[in-house]
Structures are given as C-alpha cells and as structure tokens.
Amino acid sequence: MRSVPPAGTGPEDAIRLVTEVCERAANGDLEARVPALGDTAGAPELRVAVNGLLDHIDAFVRESGAASTAAAEGRFHRHFLTQGLDGAYRTAAEQITHANQVMSRTAAQFADAARARQALADELESAVLTASEQVATAATEMGRSANGLADFARSAVTDAERGLGTVSSLRTSSEEIRHAVDLINQVAAQTRLLALNATIEAARAGSAGRGFSVVASEVKNLANETSSSSEEIMNQVNTVQQSAADAIAVLEAVTNRIREMSDLVDGIAVAVDGGHRSGDGGLSRLAEVLRSEVSRFVTTIRQS
Amino acid sequence: MRATEVRPTGVERTFGEDELIVTKTDPRGVITYTNDVFLRVSALTEEQAVGRPHSLIRHPDMPRAVFQLLWDTLGRRQEIFAYVLNLAVDGAHYWVFAHITPSFDRTGRLLGYHSNRRRPAAAAVQTVGSVYARMLDEERRRSRTPDAVAAGTAVLEQILGEHGRTYDELVWDITDGSAR
C-alpha cells in the first residue's frame, strides 16, 4: 500500500479510493487504509479520519480476539487494553473484560474444586487401603481362630463320644451284675428251701438230728443274709444305672451342642476364607475387590 | 537518513493519553502504513517513513535482546507486549507501550505486522528503564551482536527467575501495577 498519490489525484479519484477502502474494510479486510488523496480541499482530513476509524476498529478487533483467546487459554493476566479506545469501543471492551473476569473466577473455582477432589481421592484411597489391610488381617485372624475352634469342636465331640461309650459299657456291666445277683437270689431261695427241709428231717430224726438241726438253721441264716445283701446290691445297681442313663443324656446333649457349634464355626470360616461353592470369595477377597475398585475410581477421579 | 545518524538530544516527547500510535509493516518489518500520531511523534513525514524498515526509530539505549524476544515471539505467530524507547528523527525520544500482532489473511498466510502503541505510565517506564539498563550494561560489554543478545537475554531471564514470572506476566504486572 503506497501512500504516495498517483499524479493528478482529483476529487473523483479520492472518492473512489475511499469507497474502495471502506468496501474492503466492510468485508473484514482491516489491512486496508486510504492512500494519499492529493490536495483537494478536505481530502487529507478525510483520509486521516477514515484511517483513524479503521485504526480504532482494527485495535478493537485485535484486542477482543487476543484477550478472549488469552482467557480461553487461562492467561488471565492478559486483559483487554482499553487505553486509546472510547465510547462504544470502551463499553464493549469493559463487557469483555467482565466476562473474562467471570471466566477467571470460574476457572479458579474449578481449580479449587479439582484440588479438593484430588485431596478427597487421596484421603479415600488411604482410608480404603488402611481399612482393607485391617480387614485382611482380621480375616486371617478370624480364619485361624475358626479353624482352631473347628478342630477343638471335633476333638470335643470325639471325647464326648468316648465318654458315651464308657458310660454305656458301665450300664451293660451293671446289667450283668443284676443277672448275677438274680442268680444268687435264686440260689439263696433254694438254699433256704433246702434248710427248711433239713430242719424238718432233723426234727423227725429226734435227738440224733439235733446237731444237724443247728447246721440247717445256720444255713437258713446264711441264705437270708445273702438275700438281704443281694437286695442292697440291686439297689446300688439301680442307682448306677439311673446315673448312667442321666450321664448318657447329658453327654448326648453336649455332643449335639458341640456339633451345632461346629456348623456355626464352619459358617464363619466360609465367610472369612470363601467357600468352595460360593464364587464371590471370602472377606479377604472382598476387601481386595473393594480396594482395587476404589483404586480404579480414584484413578479416574484424578484424571478427570 | 538512518537511525544511526540521529543523535539523541535527551529531549523527551510524549503523546496523548487517549492517542494510539499505529503502524503496519510487511513481514520483513518494512513500514507500509503509519497514522498521523506516529509521524508527529517521530518527527517524520509519510514519505520519509513508508518503505523504510521499522528500525528507523530504534533508540541506542534499547537492549538488543528485547528486539530479539519480540521477533522470536512474532515468529511463533503470537502477539507481544513490550515497553519500547523510540528515537524521533529530530533526536527527541519517546516511550511507548507497544502491542504488536501478526496479521494473517483468510488462509492463515502472514501479511505483516501491526503495532498499536499507547502512552505508558511514568511508573512503568521507571521500572522497565532500570531492567533495560541492567540488560544494556551486559550487552555493551560484548563486541559481537550475537554475544550481546545472549548476554541481555540472560539478564532478562535472571530477572524473570527472581520474580518467578514469565515475560508476559511481568509486563502485565508492571502495566497493572502502574495503572492510572
């Protein structure tokens, strides 16, 4: 764009030149400026006025574009330079400045929120990590305890079963004693009958049988004593049998309780270690799943 | 009439608070358009300015590193703000707060550069003046131009490092801090 006017620039040329520049500027070509228009009255002033107008439009367009770009890129220190712009230019510039300030505040709030989110993610991760470690430790402890309890219950059941066997054999033995005592009682009754017959025969023999009568009487006494002893033994045996029955009932009750307890302990072990049947794993596995899920969540949060 | 031929008189010239000094250059820095304020403040006629390189009004007290930064930034197709001390051809000097932007056509091709210059605040000029003095001091110890530019750049980077700011941020700190 040469500013030296072509020779002989007249009013018509001046009007044409200004018109061309105005048309270019209207089409967005802000590089266009009015060249020298010659010396026609008012022409230099017209040129300065039109170029001044274009300079101000140019300055406004450059400032608004650059200030908005800077704000969009987060360079909020670069604001709209209003110096040299007046009236509607300045009003619009102030509006853009205000919009940029709002964007700046929003960006700052967003940055604060992002920082808070990061801190929260850090805290969550640390808390979940600690919790899952504790759960894993507790699960291991519980698993060990449950296994110990199960072992204990099994040996208790075995012991109780052995006790049951002992008491049952005691009952069998007392039954045999009763049979033996019955036998003794029968022998005593027959002995008593024999003694009675001997006494009668001794009386019939008179004085010759007197000595024998004394013996028969002693035999009868022995038979009587045997009977009364047998009765005592029977009473003792009955007591033993009753006690054995009671002991059996108690031992059976204890065994059943221990078996129930054993089932409960097995349930705990399954919950802690994860059963073979259930696919979802035990407490330790769940803690691990929770930790990895939270880790994935926290990673996503940090990237967003 | 080359810039090196003009002797600074030490006379300071200012222009209106609401005035804009406007020039346009081609991609090589040759002036293609000036407004009337530029001609008045630089004591030039349009015929003397148009077609001449913009270094026409370069003042010897301006650090070379500033112009290097300016051209590097424009070379990246970015705008730049800079406080510049200019030398009018009558020997007077004037400070400007320059905003230089590349101009592109619709296809993105570089058409040239556009410079809007505003009157800087006295406080800003004082701050910038002391920075430039430090840069200039180092530059003048070097005889070769590339060495001088490197030395001036090192001083500027040291100052930016001391403030923990980028060049852009420091310029705006100075501008906002001295806003009238």
Side-chain angles (χ1 to χ4, degrees):
Chain A
M1 184 192 349
R2 299 295 303 184
S3 296
V4 180
T9 306
E12 293 85 2
D13 297 317
I15 289 169
R16 182 179 49 79
L17 287 167
V18 171
T19 305
E20 278 172 13
V21 165
C22 287
E23 282 170 354
R24 282 176 63 193
N27 285 323
D29 177 5
L30 292 180
E31 295 304 299
R33 293 293 186 278
V34 177
L37 295 175
D39 299 328
T40 311
E45 291 78 9
L46 172 64
R47 182 184 175 219
V48 166
V50 173
N51 283 347
L53 169 67
L54 291 172
D55 284 346
H56 280 82
I57 294 172
D58 203 348
F60 181 83
V61 168
R62 284 172 197 273
E63 273 301 312
S64 56
S68 302
T69 302
E73 290 171 356
R75 291 182 286 114
F76 293 110
H77 57 266
R78 194 265 185 253
H79 51 75
F80 204 118
L81 207 54
T82 55
Q83 191 187 340
L85 297 175
D86 280 318
Y89 296 119
R90 183 175 285 264
T91 307
E94 281 162 0
Q95 284 165 347
I96 290 174
T97 300
H98 175 71
N100 288 353
Q101 282 165 351
V102 171
M103 276 166 72
S104 167
R105 275 197 297 274
T106 309
Q109 284 165 357
F110 190 77
D112 283 348
R115 270 195 294 279
R117 208 168 53 220
Q118 291 286 347
L120 210 60
D122 289 349
E123 280 173 33
L124 178 65
E125 187 181 48
S126 149
V128 167
L129 198 64
T130 309
S132 68
E133 275 170 5
Q134 285 171 349
V135 167
T137 308
T140 309
E141 280 297 312
M142 277 170 76
R144 221 196 328 267
S145 299
N147 286 337
L149 268 176
D151 289 346
F152 171 77
R154 267 190 296 279
S155 75
V157 167
T158 310
D159 287 351
E161 278 168 350
R162 209 167 52 228
L164 208 58
T166 308
V167 176
S168 295
S169 72
L170 187 64
R171 192 157 66 170
T172 313
S173 303
S174 64
E175 200 62 39
E176 282 166 10
I177 291 171
R178 190 204 291 273
H179 285 307
V181 171
D182 277 348
L183 202 65
I184 289 168
N185 265 341
Q186 282 170 25
V187 171
Q190 283 171 357
T191 305
R192 227 186 347 265
L193 202 58
L194 276 174
L196 184 61
N197 288 340
T199 304
I200 293 166
E201 289 302 320
R204 197 178 290 160
S207 60
R210 196 167 293 144
F212 190 69
S213 167
V214 171
V215 171
S217 170
E218 280 306 309
V219 168
K220 191 192 78 178
N221 285 343
L222 277 173
N224 282 341
E225 268 175 45
T226 300
S227 276
S228 79
S229 285
S230 293
E231 207 154 319
E232 231 167 89
I233 287 168
M234 282 306 284
N235 284 339
Q236 293 292 329
V237 166
N238 283 339
T239 305
V240 165
Q241 281 204 314
Q242 189 56 51
S243 297
D246 287 349
I248 286 167
V250 168
L251 279 171
E252 276 172 354
V254 167
T255 309
N256 285 338
R257 286 285 148 77
I258 291 173
R259 285 207 178 95
E260 283 169 19
M261 193 178 85
S262 191
D263 286 347
L264 290 174
V265 169
D266 285 347
I268 292 173
V270 167
V272 171
D273 296 335
H276 299 296
R277 291 154 298 166
S278 58
D280 55 6
L283 205 52
S284 326
R285 173 95 188 93
L286 284 177
E288 178 54 33
V289 168
L290 176 67
R291 199 194 60 72
S292 82
E293 283 298 310
V294 167
S295 171
R296 208 158 57 86
F297 173 71
V298 163
T299 306
T300 311
I301 289 274
R302 286 204 179 109
Q303 284 163 352
S304 62
Chain B
M1 180 175 49
R2 294 184 60 81
T4 47
E5 292 167 4
V6 178
R7 285 242 179 84
T9 57
V11 172
E12 182 166 17
R13 182 166 295 143
T14 58
F15 53 104
E17 163 72 26
D18 294 327
E19 284 188 307
L20 284 176
I21 293 178
V22 182
T23 53
K24 285 179 180 289
T25 71
D26 68 8
R28 293 171 303 141
V30 173
I31 297 171
T32 55
Y33 166 77
T34 77
N35 72 347
D36 52 334
V37 186
F38 174 82
L39 296 175
R40 188 185 80 228
V41 176
S42 306
L44 283 161
T45 64
E46 192 168 13
E47 289 71 25
Q48 287 170 328
V50 172
R52 302 293 306 276
H54 217 292
S55 53
L56 180 67
I57 51 162
R58 180 171 293 192
H59 195 288
D61 287 349
M62 267 303 286
R64 291 169 184 275
V66 173
F67 291 110
Q68 184 71 45
L69 176 70
L70 197 143
W71 284 109
D72 286 351
T73 308
L74 292 174
R76 291 194 301 271
R77 301 166 74 91
Q78 292 168 358
E79 64 171 351
I80 185 163
F81 286 92
Y83 285 90
V84 180
L85 176 63
N86 287 325
L87 183 64
V89 290
D90 61 0
H93 64 266
Y94 61 96
W95 278 95
V96 297
F97 180 43
H99 175 218
I100 309 167
T101 43
S103 302
F104 306 104
D105 68 8
R106 285 168 199 273
T107 64
R109 192 172 58 91
L110 180 72
L111 294 174
Y113 300 102
H114 178 104
S115 175
N116 285 322
R117 276 149 287 178
R118 295 163 169 89
R119 195 175 87 180
V125 167
Q126 200 172 3
T127 308
V128 171
S130 65
V131 172
Y132 285 0
R134 280 175 65 183
M135 293 169 71
L136 207 58
D137 190 42
E138 284 299 317
E139 286 190 1
R140 284 183 174 158
R141 292 169 199 269
R142 313 293 193 281
S143 52
R144 290 178 58 245
T145 305
D147 296 343
V149 170
T153 303
V155 172
L156 180 60
E157 279 171 2
Q158 189 196 333
I159 291 168
L160 293 175
E162 284 165 8
H163 290 81
R165 304 295 270 168
T166 64
Y167 171 80
D168 233 25
E169 288 169 345
L170 187 73
V171 166
W172 279 98
D173 286 349
I174 291 169
T175 306
D176 293 341
S178 57
R180 286 147 297 186

